[in-house]
Amino acid sequence: NIKKINKAYRKKNKSTDVLTFVKLQTYHKTHNEVYCDIFFSAETIKKDAKRNLINFYDHITHLIVHCFLHVKGYDHKKKSDFLKMKILEEKILMKLNIKSPYII
């Protein structure tokens, strides 16, 4: 199912571990609300965790942190933005006693 969603909304005909869609709604020019839809593929997450020899729950926790950073406005389209997001992810995961997912 995630492959269909990825194709329909991102024009990418492939599976992925997670998709995060964020919408900012502005009311009366002074009040903003953020809405989001997050889709996880447990099947893909399980395969990735197994392939990378990491705990499934650590991996999904990382992806949840990653998604919520997107919701808060972080992105990784540019290398500098990726580095900011990565460092913040690692700080949060360290507090949860989870090793950096970027060191495999």
Side-chain angles (χ1 to χ4, degrees):
N1 288 330
I2 204 160
K3 183 177 179 180
K4 290 178 189 175
I5 296 166
N6 204 15
K7 184 176 182 183
Y9 293 96
R10 298 183 65 233
K11 308 297 184 243
K12 295 185 179 191
N13 191 26
K14 64 179 187 171
S15 290
T16 188
D17 49 10
V18 63
L19 291 169
T20 307
F21 299 97
V22 180
K23 170 86 169 129
L24 179 66
Q25 187 71 44
T26 303
Y27 299 99
H28 307 294
K29 297 182 185 179
T30 59
H31 180 71
N32 293 328
E33 289 186 11
V34 177
Y35 296 92
C36 70
D37 291 302
I38 301 172
F39 298 89
F40 292 95
S41 170
E43 181 182 326
T44 303
I45 295 166
K46 186 177 178 181
K47 276 193 259 180
D48 291 347
K50 187 175 182 177
R51 183 182 65 243
N52 294 316
L53 303 173
I54 55 177
N55 178 281
F56 172 83
Y57 296 103
D58 288 353
H59 187 43
I60 199 163
T61 300
H62 168 237
L63 294 173
I64 291 167
V65 168
H66 186 87
C67 291
F68 279 106
L69 288 176
H70 278 306
V71 172
K72 292 297 289 178
Y74 289 86
D75 208 333
H76 45 77
K77 291 179 182 171
K78 295 187 293 186
K79 186 170 182 164
S80 60
D81 293 334
F82 166 79
L83 292 173
K84 284 179 197 173
M85 195 168 175
K86 174 184 174 265
I87 289 167
L88 189 51
E89 284 175 19
E90 290 175 323
K91 284 181 182 179
I92 294 167
L93 293 172
M94 189 183 327
K95 289 181 180 188
L96 298 171
N97 205 26
I98 297 173
K99 291 190 298 186
S100 172
Y102 299 101
I103 303 170
I104 296 177

